[in-house]
Amino acid sequence: TSQLPPQFKTSIEERPEKGSIPRGKPPGSPGATRQEPEKVDREIKLALPNNCGRCGKRLIKNKNYRLVYDVVMKMITTEFEYEDGYCPNCGEYHVNTHPELPERGIFGFNLQSLITEIRHNFAGSYDKTNRLLESLFGVCFTAPSLNDCIERVAEQLEPSYENMKDKLQKTEFNYSDETSWFVNGILMYFWLFVNSMFTFVTIQKHRNRRVLIDIFGEKYKGTIISDCFSAYNEFAENFQKDWIHLLRKAHFETEKSQNDDIKRLFDELMNLYNAMKEFLEKEPSIDERKKKYKLFNRKLDAIRRYQWKSKPAQDIIANWIEKYEGQWLTAILIPGIRLDNNIAERGIRPLIPTRKLLGGHRTIQGAKNFAIIETHRQTWKMHDKSTYNALVEHLVNRRKEILI
């Protein structure tokens, strides 16, 4: 039920009376105790005296252990002395370097990753980013230097970004969603695609089919999981439309009209969705999927053919179920995809503060840099990696590749 919008969950009136349920997790729930670290950096041993300080009698002592987590905030400044020169015979230019010496700029790889983390994870403006760095380390930088840092990070990530873009056409499926995004006050669109290997982000001037063709080609041979936005029509080999959007629409009309007819339609759709969701959670075989597909298809067809009397119910049947016939049960047949588009929507949701607090971006290049970095951040999250550590590792490896 956590995947459903709030309006589909138990209402406040239906919940138990306040105070009737004990606080805390129910018995048998997974524990939340933090796992002990593999390595302890410091050990401090504290010893009591052998005798009581009050009466002088010998103490009965027990050993206790407690882990304390802390961080050390320290800025490290390194001066690199290096030589450059040229050959007087052939004119070849030579310069020596070091794996920890960035190709350009004054920011080391750890600091580049920290600045990127602040900007993307907390929607931090350059002013707020600068104030935080000054508070933590006593060092401040100019806004242009911070912008240059982000731009250089994007430059280092761009080759792998383009590689992911090339691979999109060959993926088996993609969850897709888009939302408005502003660049220098001009309305543009933030597109996000999620598949089993990576997440891909792009910010485009348009919200139409041309964007999809530029990325996937004229005809995508995989499955697109999306809402009912018309740009996706007949674009891919298979489609899975978002059941949550359908249920949300039916629920909205139920609350609006208070009509028994539309309420019955909502209940029928909700029951079918829950039955399909429960079936998919069992990870069924291909043969089981084919059998259940026929059953679920008959149930959906019965809902479609029923003589609904209210206009809201008729509109949902005509403009949703019939219009996208054959696109509601794809997840039953094809393993690995879901009945909803929550994966893509969850990818967009954390970025809304950047749009609201920072107003998007000032330049096209800034928007492109954001898309490149966010593509990698969300991909690393998919694979349970630390976005900070993964970026440091990538920057270090890219530098090594250049030196080789």
Side-chain angles (χ1 to χ4, degrees):
T1 58
S2 61
Q3 297 176 359
L4 295 177
Q7 61 264 37
F8 300 150
K9 299 180 181 180
T10 308
S11 66
I12 295 176
E13 292 77 15
E14 296 173 320
R15 291 174 191 167
E17 194 175 325
K18 187 176 181 181
S20 63
I21 298 179
R23 292 194 176 201
K25 289 185 177 183
S29 298
T33 305
R34 178 179 296 278
Q35 292 183 351
E36 292 190 7
E38 295 179 1
K39 176 187 175 184
V40 175
D41 300 299
R42 293 194 306 164
E43 289 185 0
I44 299 178
K45 295 183 178 181
L46 306 175
L48 285 171
N50 291 325
N51 298 320
C52 175
R54 180 182 178 185
C55 67
K57 295 290 185 180
R58 192 170 184 82
L59 295 176
I60 300 174
K61 298 188 289 186
N62 298 306
K63 285 188 179 293
N64 300 285
Y65 299 89
R66 178 152 57 108
L67 289 171
V68 176
Y69 294 84
D70 206 347
V71 294
V72 178
M73 299 294 184
K74 182 180 180 182
M75 180 78 72
I76 300 173
T77 306
T78 305
E79 181 181 58
F80 289 89
E81 180 182 334
Y82 63 95
E83 296 179 336
D84 66 346
Y86 70 95
C87 176
N89 181 45
C90 65
E92 178 74 11
Y93 177 74
H94 296 265
V95 59
N96 57 11
T97 184
H98 188 275
E100 294 182 23
L101 176 62
E103 190 175 7
R104 291 184 292 122
I106 62 173
F107 297 100
F109 301 130
N110 292 296
L111 187 53
Q112 287 182 52
S113 186
L114 177 60
I115 292 170
T116 303
E117 193 75 11
I118 296 170
R119 287 283 294 172
H120 281 252
N121 213 25
F122 303 103
S125 65
Y126 287 130
D127 179 58
K128 288 185 176 180
T129 301
N130 197 27
R131 276 188 279 163
L132 177 60
L133 292 174
E134 186 176 14
S135 175
L136 293 177
F137 307 115
V139 180
C140 60
F141 304 96
T142 63
S145 66
L146 294 175
N147 181 65
D148 289 344
C149 171
I150 294 295
E151 190 163 325
R152 283 192 287 272
V153 168
E155 286 176 5
Q156 298 300 309
L157 295 171
E158 188 168 8
S160 61
Y161 175 81
E162 293 297 331
N163 185 39
M164 290 186 209
K165 183 178 179 181
D166 293 339
K167 289 180 178 178
L168 275 173
Q169 296 183 28
K170 300 176 183 178
T171 53
E172 295 181 355
F173 63 84
N174 273 278
Y175 295 85
S176 177
D177 202 6
E178 68 290 325
T179 189
S180 58
W181 203 265
F182 292 91
V183 178
N184 200 26
I186 298 173
L187 177 62
M188 295 182 69
Y189 296 94
F190 182 103
W191 291 75
L192 182 138
F193 305 96
V194 184
N195 52 65
S196 60
M197 296 182 293
F198 57 86
T199 297
F200 186 82
V201 171
T202 181
I203 298 174
Q204 301 286 335
K205 292 181 180 179
H206 305 290
R207 185 175 178 251
N208 56 27
R209 191 184 184 89
R210 172 50 55 187
V211 175
L212 297 170
I213 292 174
D214 289 343
I215 295 174
F216 291 93
E218 288 289 340
K219 184 78 171 180
Y220 175 51
K221 295 182 179 179
T223 302
I224 287 287
I225 304 97
S226 71
D227 55 24
C228 294
F229 179 39
S230 60
Y232 297 108
N233 292 351
E234 299 180 3
F235 161 70
E237 191 80 20
N238 301 297
F239 296 91
Q240 172 62 59
K241 293 305 178 186
D242 188 356
W243 270 83
I244 298 300
H245 278 227
L246 174 63
L247 293 170
R248 189 180 292 132
K249 172 65 176 176
H251 184 269
F252 172 79
E253 295 296 342
T254 301
E255 294 292 307
K256 180 180 176 182
S257 65
Q258 296 294 319
N259 182 285
D260 290 341
D261 191 56
I262 184 65
K263 184 179 185 304
R264 178 180 175 181
L265 175 59
F266 170 72
D267 290 340
E268 292 281 353
L269 291 172
M270 192 70 189
N271 290 336
L272 178 57
Y273 169 77
N274 285 332
M276 292 190 295
K277 183 169 173 283
E278 184 178 347
F279 169 70
L280 292 176
E281 286 173 351
K282 298 176 182 177
E283 299 182 357
S285 65
I286 297 297
D287 289 338
E288 291 173 324
R289 287 173 177 272
K290 290 178 180 179
K291 291 178 183 178
K292 279 292 187 179
Y293 177 84
K294 293 178 181 179
L295 174 63
F296 292 138
N297 194 41
R298 285 198 297 268
K299 289 185 177 181
L300 184 61
D301 194 49
I303 294 173
R304 180 183 65 81
R305 289 186 290 103
Y306 183 80
Q307 297 299 311
W308 302 101
K309 300 175 183 179
S310 64
K311 189 175 185 306
Q314 293 171 357
D315 287 344
I316 288 175
I317 295 297
N319 298 328
W320 291 67
I321 295 176
E322 289 184 345
K323 186 175 181 179
Y324 299 99
E325 186 177 359
Q327 301 180 23
W328 294 104
L329 307 180
T330 308
I332 304 298
L333 285 176
I334 301 178
I337 66 174
R338 296 161 51 118
L339 294 164
D340 57 66
N341 196 30
N342 286 349
I343 290 176
E345 292 183 358
R346 287 190 195 123
I348 287 180
R349 196 173 298 129
L351 307 178
I352 299 304
T354 298
R355 184 181 68 184
K356 290 187 174 181
L357 298 178
L358 302 182
H361 298 90
R362 293 185 181 181
T363 65
I364 294 291
Q365 186 60 48
K368 181 181 179 181
N369 294 340
F370 184 86
I372 291 172
I373 295 172
E374 195 58 35
T375 290
H376 288 81
R377 284 174 48 80
Q378 296 216 19
T379 298
W380 290 327
K381 287 179 184 177
M382 277 180 61
H383 298 285
D384 296 324
K385 291 183 178 180
S386 159
T387 53
Y388 171 84
N389 291 332
L391 179 54
V392 171
E393 182 181 356
H394 186 97
L395 295 174
V396 170
N397 290 337
R398 281 286 297 169
R399 186 61 178 145
K400 290 178 180 179
E401 290 173 8
I402 294 172
L403 293 179
I404 293 172

